[in-house]
Amino acid sequence: MKSLTTNRRWRAAAAAVVAMATGTAGLAALSGTASAAAAPLTVQYRTSATGATADQAEPWLKVKNTGTATVQLSAVKVRYYFKSDSPSTSYRFACSWAVKGCANITGTFGTLSNPTATADRYLDIAFTSGAGSLAPGSDTGDMQLRFYRADWQTLNQSDDYSFNASQTAYADWSKVTAQLSGSTVWGTAPAGNDPTDPTDPTDPPTDPPAGGQSLFDDFNYSTSSDPKISANGWNVRSNSGGPGVPGATWAPENVTFASSAGNSVMNLRTSTSGTAESTRQTEVATKSMKFKNGTYAARVKFADTPVSGPDGDHLVQTFFTINDLTAPMADDYAEYDFEYLPNGGWGEPSNILYTTSWETYNPDPWQAVNQHTESRQSYAGWHDLLLTIDNSSIKYYIDGQLFGTHDSAYLPERPMSININQWLIDLAGQTGTTPRSYDEQVDYVLHVKDQVLTPAQVTAKINAYRSAGTTFEDTVPNS
């Protein structure tokens, strides 16, 4: 499906910078139920999709601090319970709008240990540190959330435990639970499914495994010519070639560094005035191909609109791993992509996010062997991107939610490089000659060799690096 060449895309973001909340002593959960009288938090619910069946469920929520101490939202988890349409049905989460910002809200699905007639799945809503805190008496404001079947078939919500068709205005709702630092402080779970039950297999551990050979970079550099970039194993691309507009320039000077929310971030700017000669694309990649099985993570900010000039270009914003194609259709080729197209392209009319696992390809005539998962919606803003590769499958996560699982036929045979780039598919999306430019930002990149980490474990590992003041580490041996 892609206009692929050996040198391709970039690596984007994965890990919500989650600060642990202050003490919650004395807030022990009551076997799946937290009494309203003692609750330091309450959850209000309403639905904007009242039908027994719907294209998507729309649980809109507010969390209120009813206690006497300030609460860090990064320590809060809200759980909505529902009955799946079938054991094989998968679901996807989206945030339409939120006072706290959709980029600061994550949604993760899980399966209950003790299914009931009205619940065998749940949706966990959590917050990044960017959501901030709640002072006593304050609430999060609107969180206009939704979820839908991955196959976009109509879903049945009439038998969902947490659904209430008649609740079209916000009110306290005890069939949605809330946890504070791991203790249930609000709501009643379906029988036998206390969210803090240690037998629940979908509450993953947050402590990453000890040890593990790792690459971590916080992109704490001054300019694209900073000698530390090369010393730390990165190449800021300047050589010609694909992907993208033939004749375009790969411009190292368009890779810059700045501070954002207390962290150093890398900015990749791609610009054009509608001609190949005026097009400047950007790419940063590891010089070494030494990364294979394990965990890859990055926190990336995608953009739907240009920072200047008219919109509409067929742009690709990426985070990916890749090795070289030694011959057409060579079976030892490997590539694993996150690719966001804010204005469409490749036959798509509007924004779409792809995750793609490659077995091989033939550049001429074009032939591709790959497996992909896609979502047609906006992904503007910061996102935690996570890719795991073991000996059985490739899994892609976005903001803590499983996005796609790809088959063992696409596992890598050789090590790869880690890449981040931003480029134009063509100049057909916006044919004017007015200058315009687009930014993709990267907070950090992480690889842990031969260990499959959960999203929570990635977050914990990033927090540990930053708490220790570590801006770079590379203990991954050369292949």
Side-chain angles (χ1 to χ4, degrees):
M1 173 172 280
K2 316 270 190 297
S3 161
L4 171 76
T5 48
T6 304
N7 253 319
R8 272 186 71 171
R9 8 262 184 195
W10 147 225
R11 32 118 315 195
V17 183
V18 178
M20 293 307 294
T22 53
T24 56
L27 302 179
L30 302 178
S31 185
T33 303
S35 67
L41 299 174
T42 59
V43 179
Q44 294 189 326
Y45 159 85
R46 61 158 292 195
T47 182
S48 61
T50 59
T53 60
D55 290 336
Q56 55 190 5
E58 298 184 32
W60 293 12
L61 303 172
K62 289 182 181 180
V63 179
K64 184 174 182 179
N65 182 352
T66 49
T68 59
T70 297
V71 170
Q72 298 296 322
L73 279 170
S74 59
V76 174
K77 182 185 290 183
V78 177
R79 184 169 288 187
Y80 181 95
Y81 303 87
F82 65 99
K83 181 76 171 179
S84 63
D85 293 328
S86 74
S88 62
T89 301
S90 60
Y91 296 86
R92 292 182 179 169
F93 166 79
C95 172
S96 297
W97 186 81
V99 172
K100 291 293 184 180
C102 284
N104 295 315
I105 298 171
T106 65
T108 307
F109 294 96
T111 302
L112 291 176
S113 300
N114 300 295
T116 71
T118 59
D120 57 8
R121 306 277 185 92
Y122 62 80
L123 169 63
D124 271 346
I125 305 300
F127 303 86
T128 73
S129 60
S133 60
L134 289 181
S138 66
D139 63 49
T140 58
D142 262 343
M143 295 188 291
Q144 298 180 10
L145 312 178
R146 55 192 171 92
F147 65 92
Y148 54 94
R149 287 177 54 147
D151 59 8
W152 278 106
Q153 297 299 305
T154 298
L155 57 78
N156 174 29
Q157 57 180 352
S158 63
D159 58 352
D160 290 353
Y161 178 86
S162 296
F163 173 68
N164 185 354
S166 65
Q167 198 152 312
T168 56
Y170 279 113
D172 290 355
W173 187 235
S174 63
K175 288 191 173 183
V176 174
T177 58
Q179 292 176 272
L180 181 58
S181 295
S183 294
T184 304
V185 296
W186 171 261
T188 303
N193 290 283
D194 178 356
T196 58
D197 185 344
T199 64
D200 186 345
T202 52
D203 285 338
T206 57
D207 292 333
Q213 297 165 321
S214 303
L215 166 69
F216 169 73
D217 203 325
D218 216 9
F219 296 109
N220 190 16
Y221 303 111
S222 57
T223 68
S224 62
S225 58
D226 189 329
K228 290 192 300 181
I229 296 176
S230 180
N232 288 346
W234 295 101
N235 177 61
V236 183
R237 184 176 178 184
S238 60
N239 61 298
S240 61
V245 174
T249 298
W250 294 91
E253 67 275 12
N254 281 10
V255 177
T256 58
F257 302 88
S259 179
S260 175
N263 295 319
S264 177
V265 298
M266 179 169 64
N267 192 83
L268 286 78
R269 176 161 294 182
T270 293
S271 60
T272 188
S273 296
T275 64
E277 293 75 19
S278 67
T279 300
R280 301 288 185 270
Q281 305 179 140
T282 41
E283 179 173 271
V284 177
T286 60
K287 293 186 285 186
S288 175
M289 287 194 292
K290 62 178 182 178
F291 309 99
K292 193 180 177 189
N293 285 15
T295 298
Y296 299 80
R299 181 165 171 78
V300 173
K301 187 177 184 181
F302 295 132
D304 278 353
T305 57
V307 292
S308 63
D311 197 6
D313 288 291
H314 290 157
L315 186 72
V316 185
Q317 300 176 321
T318 74
F319 167 55
F320 66 105
T321 70
I322 192 171
N323 60 29
D324 56 320
L325 183 71
T326 56
M329 303 302 287
D331 61 7
D332 63 349
Y333 177 75
E335 180 180 356
Y336 307 95
D337 303 327
F338 288 92
E339 295 174 306
Y340 181 54
L341 283 59
N343 294 315
W346 295 327
E348 292 290 332
S350 60
N351 41 29
I352 185 169
L353 176 70
Y354 288 103
T355 59
T356 309
S357 301
W358 290 80
E359 171 59 18
T360 191
Y361 72 100
N362 185 3
D364 188 20
W366 179 249
Q367 183 180 358
V369 181
N370 63 40
Q371 184 175 3
H372 60 87
T373 304
E374 67 277 340
S375 177
R376 293 170 176 84
Q377 65 180 67
S378 172
Y379 281 88
W382 284 105
H383 294 284
D384 298 328
L385 308 184
L386 173 62
L387 160 69
T388 65
I389 303 173
D390 60 18
N391 291 323
S392 61
S393 65
I394 305 104
K395 293 185 177 181
Y396 297 86
Y397 296 81
I398 299 177
D399 297 331
Q401 176 190 351
L402 182 63
F403 184 83
T405 301
H406 295 171
D407 300 337
S408 59
Y410 302 92
L411 292 173
E413 292 83 11
R414 290 187 293 126
M416 302 165 288
S417 61
I418 297 174
N419 303 251
I420 308 149
N421 64 20
Q422 184 179 222
W423 50 282
L424 294 175
I425 297 171
D426 53 42
L427 297 172
Q430 213 289 73
T431 57
T433 58
T434 303
R436 57 267 190 190
S437 59
Y438 300 83
D439 284 355
E440 175 187 2
Q441 294 184 336
V442 184
D443 184 13
Y444 73 86
V445 65
L446 171 72
H447 171 71
V448 182
K449 177 179 170 63
D450 295 332
Q451 290 185 359
V452 171
L453 304 187
T454 66
Q457 289 174 325
V458 167
T459 296
K461 195 168 183 70
I462 298 304
N463 288 344
Y465 278 125
R466 288 178 165 166
S467 295
T470 301
T471 60
F472 177 80
E473 176 183 78
D474 186 3
T475 58
V476 179
N478 291 320
S479 298

